[in-house]
Amino acid sequence: MAQTRSRQDAEDLPDGISSLLDTDLYKLTMQCAILKYLPDVREGHIQIYKSNASDEIDPGCLSLATVTNQQYGNPSLGCQMMLTGNPELGNIVVTSEELEYLKTACSYLHPSYLQFLSSFRLCPSKQVQASFQISHDTDSEDDVGELSLDLAGKWVETILYETPLLALTSEAYFKFCDRDWNYDAQEEKAYAKGTRLMENGCIFLEFGTRRRRDYHTQDLVLQGLTRATATAAANGWSGKLSGSSNVHFAMKYGIPPLGTVAHEWFMGIASIKDDYEHANESALRYWVDCYGEGVLGIVLTDTFGTPNFLKAFKNIRPSPARAEQDATLTRIPGATPPSARMPDGDSNGYSEASEPTDVPISSGAEHDSNGQSEAPEHTEANGAEHLDEGRSYAQIFAGVRQDSGDPLTYIKMMRDFYDSQGIKERKTIVFSDSLNVERCIEYMHAANDAGFSPSFGVGTFLTNDFMHQSCEKKSVPMNIVIKLSSANGRPAVKISDNIGKTTGDSETVHNVKVSLGYIEKTWVNGDETTRWGAQDDEATTASVQA
C-alpha cells in the first residue's frame, strides 16, 4: 500500500501552473498550425461552460472565499488575481531543456514554431478579464456565484489559455470551497485502475489535465500508472499506458506525449470562413497540409455532428497538381494558402529555410493506437506520383476520436462508413467521453468485434476521483469546459453528437443545425449534469478496490 499523502506533502511540487508544457499536446499542435496559416486572426472571447449542479454545493460556482483567495477583499479583483494575476503565469517561458525535448519527442513540430515558442509568453494582465457575480449576496465569504472569463487577442496567443485556466479553476474550487478531502490512496487508486485496464487488454492514455484536482493529484496518478505499467509488463498483459496528453508529465515520466487536434480547430475555421458546409474539409485539408500524411492521424468527428463530418471525410485530398484548380471552396479567407509544392529538407518534410507541407505516407508507415507515427521519409517512389493517385481523408487518417453521443452507435456508424468507402485497413477509434474502467472494457470488446483498434483517453476518472472525508460520499469534479466563442468577430459554436454538449451562441447554433440538416440526438447515458457523479453517490467500485 502506498504511503498516505497529505496537503503538506505536496508543498515541494508546483502550485498551479509552472510550465507552458503543463498542457495538452493538441494545444501545441494547433498553435503550430495557426502560426503557419492564421497568425493574425483575432479571437474575440472564450467562455467557460458548466453543466452540473447540486442543492448542496454547485460545482459550477465558486465561493467568495475562492475568488478573493481570503486576502484580496474584493470578489472581482480576487478572481482576476487568482486566475490571471499570478505573476508566474505571465512569466513562464519554455526552457532550453523543454525545447530539446519537443525537438525529439514531437519532431513534427515545425522549426519555426519552436523558435516562436522559445520566446512566447502568456500575457494574462492584458488578454484575460475574469469577473465574479455573486448569486445571493449575504455578506458572507461562503456566498457563491458565477465565474466569467473574457479573452481578447490573437488566436495564436490565446489558444494556450484553455488548459491552464481550467486546471486553475478546478484547483481553486477544491482548495477553498470543497475542502473535505485528502490525497489518501490516490496513487493506489490509479494503480488499481491501471492494472484493471491493462489486465483486460485496454490501451489508454492519461488525459486528465483540464479537470484535475490539482498538480499533485496528477503527479500521484502518473506514479500509480507507471507502477501499473511495470506490473503489466511482468505479467505479459496486452493492455498498456500509451502515454499522456500532458506534455510536461510525458517528459517527466518518460512516456509519449499524445494528441492531435481538438474541436477548437474546426470551430475557429468555421467561424472565420462563415461557411459550415465546407468547414470540416477545410480543417482537414489545412491540417494534413501542415503536418503531412501519416502524422498526427487521429481526428475528431463531432464538432458539427459526425454525419456531417463524414461527408467531408470521404472527399479526396487535392493533389499538388490539382490544388489550385479544384480546392477553392476549402480555402480559408486571409490564410496562407495550402502548399502545392513537394517537400524537401529533412524526413519531416520541413527545412529551416522553408516548410513544405505535403509529406506522403509510405506504405510501411506504422501507427500506434493513437494514430501517432514518425514522419515517413520522402523518396521518389512515394512522392508526387503517389499523391496524384488521390487518397481520401478517410484513407489518410489512421482513425477517429469519439467524444460525444452513444459509443456503441458510433462504432456501427464508423464501420458502415468505412465499408461504404471500401476501406479495409484496420482503423483506430479513440474513445474519450466520460470514461471509467467498465466503459473502456465494454467499448474495447465492441470495437474489436467491429474490426477496429480501440484506444482510450481517460481523464477526470483518473485525476479527480475523490470522496469526502466526513461522510464517504463523492466529492464531485467540476464539469467545466472552455470553448472558443468567437473568432474575427463571428460567433463560434460546437454542435456535437449529444445535445448536452452543444456550446456557443444559440442563434448561430440553430442556424448551423438548420443549414447542415442536423438531427437532434439523445442518449440514455448522455446526461451532462451527472457525468462525473452526484454529491450523494457512494464510493465507486474502483475506489473501493483501491
Side-chain angles (χ1 to χ4, degrees):
M1 178 68 67
Q3 184 178 359
T4 296
R5 307 293 182 109
S6 68
R7 285 187 173 86
Q8 286 69 36
D9 294 322
E11 289 181 356
D12 59 340
L13 292 174
D15 187 22
I17 304 293
S18 62
S19 168
L20 284 179
L21 300 194
D22 187 6
T23 192
D24 292 313
L25 175 64
Y26 59 40
K27 303 303 291 187
L28 302 185
T29 56
M30 288 189 294
Q31 187 183 42
C32 177
I34 293 167
L35 177 68
K36 182 176 179 64
Y37 297 117
L38 300 160
D40 296 320
V41 167
R42 302 289 296 181
E43 178 186 51
H45 307 276
I46 68 171
Q47 293 180 350
I48 184 166
Y49 295 90
K50 68 182 183 67
S51 297
N52 53 337
S54 164
D55 291 334
E56 219 177 302
I57 297 177
D58 183 351
C61 293
L62 298 175
S63 74
L64 180 61
T66 303
V67 299
T68 60
N69 201 15
Q70 297 183 346
Q71 59 181 299
Y72 297 111
N74 179 292
S76 295
L77 174 61
C79 188
Q80 186 78 12
M81 292 296 293
M82 181 190 70
L83 293 179
T84 67
N86 184 342
E88 290 187 0
L89 192 60
N91 293 332
I92 300 171
V93 295
V94 177
T95 67
S96 58
E97 182 183 6
E98 290 173 328
L99 281 172
E100 287 302 313
Y101 172 78
L102 291 175
K103 288 179 182 178
T104 56
C106 308
S107 59
Y108 39 78
L109 294 175
H110 297 200
S112 61
Y113 169 67
L114 294 180
Q115 183 178 3
F116 165 84
L117 195 63
S118 69
S119 59
F120 177 80
R121 291 192 183 194
L122 295 169
C123 190
S125 62
K126 294 182 179 179
Q127 295 172 327
V128 184
Q129 291 295 319
S131 60
F132 181 70
Q133 184 64 45
I134 298 175
S135 300
H136 301 287
D137 192 351
T138 66
D139 251 353
S140 167
E141 69 173 21
D142 294 323
D143 287 345
V144 299
E146 294 290 336
L147 171 67
S148 298
L149 300 175
D150 217 16
L151 276 77
K154 291 183 177 181
W155 192 14
V156 72
E157 298 170 352
T158 57
I159 190 170
L160 290 194
Y161 279 109
E162 176 191 0
T163 303
L165 287 184
L166 285 171
L168 286 170
T169 301
S170 179
E171 181 172 342
Y173 177 79
F174 289 105
K175 187 174 184 178
F176 297 110
C177 292
D178 181 354
R179 295 177 51 83
D180 187 17
W181 57 274
N182 61 28
Y183 296 107
D184 286 2
Q186 279 296 307
E187 182 182 346
E188 281 297 321
K189 189 180 293 186
Y191 173 80
K193 294 172 182 176
T195 53
R196 286 187 62 205
L197 287 167
M198 296 179 202
E199 185 177 14
N200 281 279
C202 293
I203 298 173
F204 68 100
L205 70 148
E206 184 276 316
F207 197 48
T209 301
R210 293 177 301 160
R211 285 181 289 269
R212 70 190 183 194
R213 184 129 314 196
D214 57 12
Y215 179 97
H216 183 47
T217 300
Q218 193 167 11
D219 192 58
L220 290 173
V221 165
L222 266 299
Q223 291 177 36
L225 295 179
T226 300
R227 287 202 298 120
T229 297
T231 299
N235 285 280
W237 296 337
S238 58
K240 68 175 183 178
L241 173 68
S242 57
S244 172
S245 66
N246 185 297
V247 185
H248 165 76
F249 279 111
M251 178 179 175
K252 180 175 181 178
Y253 285 93
I255 57 179
L258 297 176
T260 54
V261 64
H263 296 106
E264 184 175 357
W265 177 248
F266 295 88
M267 294 170 67
I269 287 175
S271 179
I272 294 163
K273 282 176 62 67
D274 197 23
D275 175 7
Y276 285 83
E277 182 180 353
H278 300 100
N280 280 317
E281 188 173 357
S282 295
L284 292 170
R285 181 187 175 201
Y286 278 76
W287 191 259
V288 176
D289 185 78
C290 184
Y291 292 108
E293 296 188 17
V295 183
L296 298 173
I298 297 295
V299 62
L300 270 167
T301 65
D302 69 334
T303 308
F304 310 117
T306 294
N308 177 262
F309 174 86
L310 296 181
K311 295 176 183 178
F313 205 37
K314 67 183 180 182
N315 289 343
I316 302 297
R317 179 197 178 202
S319 68
R322 296 187 292 109
E324 294 300 319
Q325 287 74 34
D326 64 0
T328 56
L329 289 176
T330 60
R331 289 188 187 153
I332 304 172
T336 304
S339 172
R341 295 177 287 119
M342 291 303 299
D344 49 37
D346 64 18
S347 63
N348 289 309
Y350 341 113
S351 66
E352 291 293 344
S354 61
E355 294 176 353
T357 55
D358 287 306
V359 183
I361 186 170
S362 66
S363 59
E366 295 294 333
H367 300 277
D368 70 12
S369 60
N370 295 289
Q372 307 282 72
S373 74
E374 293 295 324
E377 183 177 359
H378 172 65
T379 66
E380 292 299 324
N382 63 17
E385 181 180 354
H386 173 84
L387 286 176
D388 284 336
E389 293 174 359
R391 287 160 53 85
S392 70
Y393 295 105
Q395 291 173 307
I396 290 169
F397 280 86
V400 294
R401 178 154 76 95
Q402 191 273 339
D403 196 54
S404 63
D406 183 354
L408 300 181
T409 300
Y410 185 88
I411 292 170
K412 183 180 186 305
M413 184 192 308
M414 293 309 305
R415 182 71 277 152
D416 290 345
F417 170 78
Y418 282 122
D419 288 347
S420 73
Q421 300 301 302
I423 297 175
K424 304 301 182 184
E425 175 188 355
R426 191 176 181 91
K427 296 289 187 176
T428 295
I429 297 181
V430 178
F431 299 89
S432 60
D433 185 26
S434 307
L435 298 176
N436 58 29
V437 171
E438 290 74 21
R439 290 171 184 168
C440 288
I441 295 172
E442 178 187 3
Y443 304 156
M444 179 193 69
H445 290 305
N448 277 327
D449 291 345
F452 291 104
S453 296
S455 182
F456 305 91
V458 186
T460 308
F461 176 65
L462 291 172
T463 60
N464 207 334
D465 185 11
F466 286 79
M467 294 177 294
H468 287 130
Q469 290 179 270
S470 61
C471 60
E472 293 294 308
K473 301 291 186 180
K474 188 162 182 67
S475 174
V476 181
M478 298 183 77
N479 185 16
I480 50 174
V481 296
I482 287 178
K483 292 298 180 186
L484 184 72
S485 63
S486 69
N488 268 8
R490 293 193 188 95
V493 301
K494 179 172 79 81
I495 308 298
S496 87
D497 290 333
N498 177 23
I499 191 171
K501 299 189 80 170
T502 297
T503 64
D505 175 71
S506 58
E507 182 178 355
T508 303
V509 168
H510 172 76
N511 291 339
V512 171
K513 287 182 176 181
V514 171
S515 68
L516 298 180
Y518 178 87
I519 300 174
E520 299 284 0
K521 301 178 184 68
T522 57
W523 172 43
V524 64
N525 293 321
D527 183 0
E528 290 294 303
T529 64
T530 57
R531 68 186 311 211
W532 300 120
Q535 296 288 340
D536 58 353
D537 284 352
E538 300 287 347
T540 63
T541 302
S543 300
V544 174
Q545 290 183 346

